[in-house]
Amino acid sequence: MRFGVERDVLADAVGWTARTLPARPPVPVLSGVLLEAAEPGVLKLSSFDYEVSAHVEVPAEVHEPGRVLVSGRLLADIARSLPAQPVQVSLQGPRVVVTCGSSRFTLLTMPVEDYPALPAMPDVLGSVAGDVFASAVAQVVVAASRDETLPVLTGVRVEIEGDELTLLATDRYRLAVRTLPWSAGEGGGSSAALVRARTLSEVARAMGSGEVVLALSSEAAGAEGRGRGASGLVGFEAGGRRTTSLLVDGDYPKVRSLFPAESPIAAVVAVPALVEAVRRVALVAERSRPVRLSFTQGQVVLEAGDGEDAQASEAIPAQLHGDDVSIAFNPQFLLDGLGALNMPFVRLSFTLPTKPAVLTGQTDEDSEPSDHYRYLLMPVRMAG
């Protein structure tokens, strides 16, 4: 095997395939990236850990076709550090030699015959604009749990209904829901799947241009999958990159019922002003201690700290519709929601101070709120 490739092309491709390699692989070959120099002029790179697979094809000048397995993380580190010159890669006995300008690296190979075959791409369901998908995923994954003892909540529920795709995530303290347009493939229909939030986030960042194709195995896309994160495989493809992932298995909670049917109280606040005020006031709040927000006509007063502890307060303008209300939130959870809105104004809708609040975005102070993204946040009980 011998081929030449541009340095940036190689670094980008190896970085993509090596991103999900396990830190402690059950067998050594699963730490590798498979390089396949194929005719005519295509270099294929693949990785697989029995849960997530990645595959990318890039242009290369192939002198001798062949395939080799090398340490993925080491090759990624080397590729990133190479000078901005063409790279030559060749197999010499049991070693791979990488040369770029005056730099030369030698890597040991691993047995290609022991490497597992990558799973086939599932059935394609349709596609979505990459930039819209990337933005939507970023808005939702902030609410996914990072507690691996509750694996169901570490996933993002992906629901497809007609020409709409909906993403949901919750960690029991907040819930994020984003709806976006969807181009259904042949057959259309309804599907649902539970995808690991980390995998979905990595896919969205790397495929955030052009159209992203979404594929789902038939056992996960069926009627049973609508109520459960049915076992199966999800696949994404865009720009010559393809990845598959096992779905999270388990019953996803019926979270939609948490949204109140109506909210008699609402407040509209400029997002930048509220974000800065929360950050300042939260400086005196001990870990996991809440920030209190007291809404009256024309303003909201933010307070943190009590008793003999350090205290802080700040008032900023707010437009209130309904009765005065005081409510407390985890400051980081509140900041996560405000940051995900991507709009200049936030509408906070309330029923009672002890019930969840719903955050939606607005283009200006008097416009209608957007219902494409909703962030529900549980309040923190205040002493007294």
Side-chain angles (χ1 to χ4, degrees), residues 117-300:
L118 268 65
M121 190 74 164
D123 299 332
V124 173
L125 296 183
S127 63
V128 61
D131 56 344
V132 176
F133 182 64
S135 175
V137 169
Q139 289 179 301
V140 171
V141 295
V142 295
S145 175
R146 292 163 180 77
D147 184 359
E148 294 295 338
T149 62
L150 294 169
V152 167
L153 298 186
T154 65
V156 172
R157 183 169 168 83
V158 180
E159 299 178 349
I160 297 168
E161 189 73 45
D163 59 358
E164 278 192 347
L165 184 149
T166 302
L167 306 174
L168 304 93
T170 183
D171 60 2
R172 298 178 298 172
Y173 304 105
R174 62 259 182 87
L175 164 63
V177 179
R178 174 71 157 91
T179 302
L180 58 153
W182 162 260
S183 299
E186 293 184 10
S190 302
S191 302
L194 192 54
V195 185
R196 289 176 178 84
R198 184 177 62 183
T199 299
L200 196 62
S201 184
E202 290 171 346
V203 166
R205 282 198 303 267
M207 297 184 175
S209 60
E211 288 286 310
V212 176
V213 171
L214 190 151
L216 200 62
S217 57
S218 56
E219 64 266 31
E224 181 183 353
R226 289 181 54 75
R228 290 175 53 84
S231 60
L233 201 66
V234 66
F236 301 91
E237 186 169 9
R241 295 176 172 180
R242 183 174 72 240
T243 187
T244 65
S245 174
L246 290 179
L247 297 174
V248 181
D249 195 11
D251 291 311
Y252 201 70
K254 299 184 184 302
V255 292
R256 289 183 182 273
S257 61
L258 294 174
F259 286 103
E262 58 181 23
S263 300
I265 306 171
V268 179
V269 189
V271 170
L274 184 54
V275 166
E276 291 303 316
V278 172
R279 285 176 176 164
R280 281 191 289 266
V281 171
L283 291 173
V284 302
E286 296 180 2
R287 183 177 177 84
S288 76
R289 297 289 293 175
V291 167
R292 299 180 296 278
L293 288 80
S294 300
F295 292 90
T296 55
Q297 194 53 248
Q299 71 172 12
V300 55

Side-chain angles (χ1 to χ4, degrees), residues 268 343-347 360-370:
V268 179
M343 299 190 81
F345 288 87
V346 57
R347 175 182 288 260
T360 50
Q362 294 184 193
T363 55
D364 58 62
E365 199 171 28
D366 299 315
S367 65
E368 289 297 314
S370 169

Side-chain angles (χ1 to χ4, degrees), residues 42-87:
V42 175
L43 173 64
K44 302 177 182 179
L45 299 93
S46 307
S47 65
F48 185 36
D49 66 354
Y50 289 118
E51 290 189 359
V52 179
S53 75
H55 179 84
V56 62
E57 298 183 5
V58 295
E61 186 177 347
V62 178
H63 306 293
E64 296 179 24
R67 57 205 304 259
V68 68
L69 185 67
V70 296
S71 168
R73 295 190 188 279
L74 179 56
L75 183 60
D77 290 342
I78 290 172
R80 282 195 301 268
S81 68
L82 291 173
Q85 298 184 43
V87 182

